[in-house]
Amino acid sequence: MTEPRRSDPCVMVIFGATGDLTKRKLFPALYYLARDGYLPDNFAVLGVSRGEMSSEQYAARMADEIRTFVGDAVDGDLVDWFRKRIYYTGGDFNADKQLFDDIKILLERISSDHAIPSNYFFYLAVPPSLFADVTTKICRHGLAEETDGDWRRVIYEKPFGRDLASAKELNSHVLKILKEDQIYRIDHYLGKETVQNILVFRFGNSIFEPIWNRNFVDHVQITVSENLGVEDRAGYYDRAGALRDMVPNHIFQLITLTAMEPPVSFKADAVRDEQAKILQAMQEYSPEDVLHKTVRGQYAAGSIDGKDAPAYRDEEDVPAASETETYAAMKLAIDNWRWAGVPFYVRTGKRLERKHTTIVIQFKRAPFVLFRNTPVEKLTTNRIVLHIQPDEGITLHFGAKIPGPVVNMGDVDMEFDYADHFGETVSTGYERLLYDCMIGDATLFQRADMVEESWRVVSPVLDVWDALPARDFPNYPAGSWGPSEADDLLEKDGRSWKNDIE
Ligand code: BG6
């Protein structure tokens, strides 16, 4: 095992310091990093938000949040360590020039109090509509200028743009005032252990790559299902919808890692070049394709785990006649030598039967039936299932002889379970990403061209969906596997979704 190296001494500035992400994910992730020896002593956090409060008040509040979200195993000394390193300043991001002057002065003080060089990274946990403006102000106040070997970086939460045109505009704006290597477009799926393991599984073993192509693979299925509804995020979600929220980011990350060629090294650009090639190879949809190769849905009332669940249109802050999709399924084609003719089916939705994220690599049937008692359509097909969450592991599905005097085949699984093998590890998924930003490794972050290629693929779908509002919404009950049209999408190709994967 490689020994961890502590991150560079630095100050993390969080815009959106009182938001949900900060308390649920960012502070617990920093806590776990410190616990495991990845943070240096010369480290501090500066929270920035609208409300007024002192640094002491904010530090006390975040110390409580760390205790809440880390739970019983929390180490009191470590929480105190953090408390001494947490600062706060409040003001209006839009109007207040004073706020950025305050940030600058405070950063100088924090740097000198904790002997931290001027290495700063700014985490924009704010609505995407503020990205451009906050970046401009950071730069205008000289906060992004790298001098004397110190670094300055900016992390953007998703979504980066809401279609191709807005993503291009945002990229062009931030690239005028920052260098690409200062920009970290985050996608928290890349922080998940099992997502990172896709690369290790494929390229750290020699037995999978030879069959990982159109000669052996029949199709690939990716499911990212959630049983939760829109929760308290209707304001954002009703404007976004399932496609924007999940597909060009999380699901496309899963596709690129599953489909990419081996990179020449694990350097950021070598990996991202290969991912970008997959995105470039994704066929764009014609309006006709959108009608035949995509499905959208919105949940009606239903029941999940025995509890009643309301319809999307009855959720808090959702307009009563909302046309927003809470489910999206698509058939995608990757036009390259490895994948020509192999469909990639993807689906995602809220209020589905249960939460699970899986990638199914479905292999072709054996070419010929040797066994008299097993008709060809009953022959087992092989599949590799990468379980991303909540259970993390890998399953290989194959056929075996059922014991007895005649040759009959049965389906069996060979399973690898992360927790059984390596023990439970508690993490938020943000640890690796924050740490990588602090050591300047952008491998797991999206590059400008990747973001734009992703929007290129989904924007035509959004255009058609906007132009033709769905007439059948709501079209799936909460607690089901989504609209029946999504089943038809595969059935017309003689295939079906694998819903019974545990
Ligand atoms: C977020 C989406 O990016 O990912 C949410 O905005 C979604 O709508 C969430 O619920 C899912 O993340 P995870 O890690 O729970 O699969």
Side-chain angles (χ1 to χ4, degrees):
M1 275 238 277
T2 344
E3 270 302 302
R5 89 152 150 104
R6 284 184 197 274
S7 79
D8 297 350
C10 58
V11 185
M12 173 177 184
V13 184
I14 307 176
F15 286 89
T18 50
D20 232 38
L21 184 77
T22 303
K23 67 179 189 201
R24 278 177 194 281
K25 303 283 181 185
L26 302 183
F27 271 105
L30 291 173
Y31 172 90
Y32 291 128
L33 281 176
R35 183 199 60 186
D36 297 341
Y38 288 97
L39 288 190
D41 220 38
N42 336 44
F43 175 79
V45 181
L46 169 59
V48 184
S49 199
R50 281 178 204 282
E52 285 304 329
M53 120 178 80
S54 69
S55 284
E56 291 69 31
Q57 284 169 322
Y58 182 68
R61 201 161 133 186
M62 288 306 118
D64 284 347
E65 301 293 11
I66 294 177
R67 284 192 201 94
T68 307
F69 288 101
V70 171
D72 291 343
V74 77
D75 169 350
D77 291 344
L78 196 52
V79 177
D80 289 342
W81 183 89
F82 267 107
R83 223 174 139 157
K84 291 186 205 120
R85 287 167 174 73
I86 300 178
Y87 297 80
Y88 181 83
T89 186
D92 182 352
F93 304 160
N94 285 322
D96 200 354
K97 169 175 161 349
Q98 187 62 43
L99 174 66
F100 287 82
D101 289 338
D102 291 348
I103 293 174
K104 194 169 182 179
I105 294 165
L106 204 48
L107 277 174
E108 281 160 15
R109 209 186 87 205
I110 296 170
S111 283
S112 108
D113 285 358
H114 295 273
I116 303 175
S118 307
N119 295 329
Y120 306 145
F121 70 108
F122 302 90
Y123 197 117
L124 270 51
V126 293
S129 54
L130 298 179
F131 286 173
D133 195 41
V134 173
T135 314
T136 305
K137 287 175 176 149
I138 290 173
C139 294
R140 201 182 289 149
H141 285 73
L143 293 168
E145 261 165 51
E146 299 182 313
T147 47
D148 305 330
D150 296 335
W151 53 256
R152 308 288 170 92
R153 297 172 187 143
V154 184
I155 302 185
Y156 296 90
E157 255 303 323
K158 73 161 251 288
F160 199 88
R162 51 177 285 111
D163 53 21
L164 180 57
S166 57
K168 278 189 165 168
E169 197 181 313
L170 186 55
N171 269 330
S172 113
H173 179 82
V174 296
L175 282 166
K176 271 190 212 123
I177 46 185
L178 294 169
K179 292 177 287 169
E180 176 66 44
D181 66 7
Q182 294 180 286
I183 301 173
Y184 287 71
R185 300 172 192 81
I186 211 164
D187 183 315
H188 79 274
Y189 264 55
L190 290 176
K192 293 183 192 284
E193 281 289 340
T194 24
V195 173
Q196 291 163 29
N197 190 44
I198 300 171
L199 293 182
V200 177
F201 178 71
R202 290 189 55 201
F203 304 133
N205 296 294
S206 61
I207 58 171
F208 302 113
E209 268 320 280
I211 53 167
W212 209 262
N213 57 50
R214 72 192 158 86
N215 297 326
F216 296 90
V217 176
D218 177 73
H219 72 278
V220 176
Q221 291 187 12
I222 297 184
T223 298
V224 182
S225 63
E226 297 186 82
N227 52 4
L228 290 180
V230 64
E231 305 297 291
D232 51 4
R233 296 165 71 229
Y236 152 76
Y237 193 85
D238 198 62
R239 290 195 62 233
L243 182 63
R244 273 195 185 89
D245 188 44
M246 300 295 286
V247 177
N249 29 66
H250 306 328
I251 288 188
F252 279 12
Q253 295 296 346
L254 299 178
I255 295 185
T256 56
L257 297 177
T258 306
M260 70 192 248
E261 294 301 316
V264 288
S265 76
F266 272 105
K267 292 216 174 90
D269 274 330
V271 175
R272 299 193 297 181
D273 283 348
E274 295 306 333
Q275 288 182 281
K277 282 185 208 161
I278 293 296
L279 295 168
Q280 287 156 14
M282 280 188 190
Q283 264 176 27
E284 210 165 292
Y285 291 90
S286 67
E288 184 71 12
D289 287 337
V290 176
L291 301 180
H292 299 297
K293 297 183 181 167
T294 70
V295 173
R296 57 185 152 164
Q298 187 193 75
Y299 59 85
S303 114
I304 297 183
D305 290 336
K307 285 199 202 109
D308 287 348
Y312 176 69
R313 289 175 178 173
D314 294 331
E315 300 266 21
E316 208 177 316
D317 296 332
V318 172
S322 172
E323 294 291 348
T324 300
E325 83 283 355
T326 59
Y327 178 98
M330 305 165 81
K331 175 180 175 183
L332 289 148
I334 298 176
D335 273 346
N336 67 11
W337 192 271
R338 187 190 280 258
W339 295 114
V342 180
F344 280 63
Y345 300 99
V346 302
R347 60 177 170 166
T348 184
K350 299 232 181 251
R351 289 263 197 248
L352 296 178
E353 191 185 289
R354 63 193 150 95
K355 179 173 175 78
H356 87 167
T357 301
T358 50
I359 301 171
V360 176
I361 315 294
Q362 178 67 56
F363 291 92
K364 294 181 176 172
R365 270 181 210 292
F368 147 83
V369 206
L370 210 51
F371 316 109
R372 265 176 301 133
N373 295 319
T374 311
V376 70
E377 64 282 2
K378 289 273 173 58
L379 261 192
T380 302
T381 51
N382 298 126
R383 89 182 152 249
I384 291 175
V385 183
L386 307 177
H387 304 266
I388 308 293
Q389 63 183 12
D391 303 318
E392 306 184 316
I394 295 168
T395 310
L396 172 64
H397 185 80
F398 57 99
K401 179 179 172 298
I402 300 172
V406 288
V407 178
N408 270 327
M409 265 183 103
D411 291 355
V412 295
D413 284 332
M414 226 154 72
E415 282 175 348
F416 154 70
D417 182 288
Y418 249 80
D420 283 354
H421 199 83
F422 294 113
E424 292 280 356
T425 45
V426 191
S427 77
T428 63
Y430 277 77
E431 292 77 6
R432 169 80 193 265
L433 300 172
L434 292 177
Y435 173 74
D436 281 358
C437 177
M438 292 187 243
I439 60 167
D441 182 348
T443 312
L444 297 179
F445 292 84
Q446 301 233 71
R447 223 169 38 189
D449 57 328
M450 294 164 72
V451 170
E452 291 180 16
E453 282 298 337
S454 304
W455 283 118
R456 175 190 61 77
V457 178
V458 299
S459 282
V461 182
L462 291 166
D463 290 346
V464 173
W465 285 4
D466 278 350
L468 301 172
R471 272 187 250 124
D472 57 348
F473 277 6
N475 60 352
Y476 70 96
S480 69
W481 274 109
S484 57
E485 290 83 353
D487 296 330
D488 302 342
L489 183 70
L490 270 71
E491 265 159 33
K492 63 190 178 203
D493 294 345
R495 302 180 174 113
S496 61
W497 294 108
K498 307 278 175 264
N499 291 338
D500 51 357
I501 290 167
E502 288 307 327

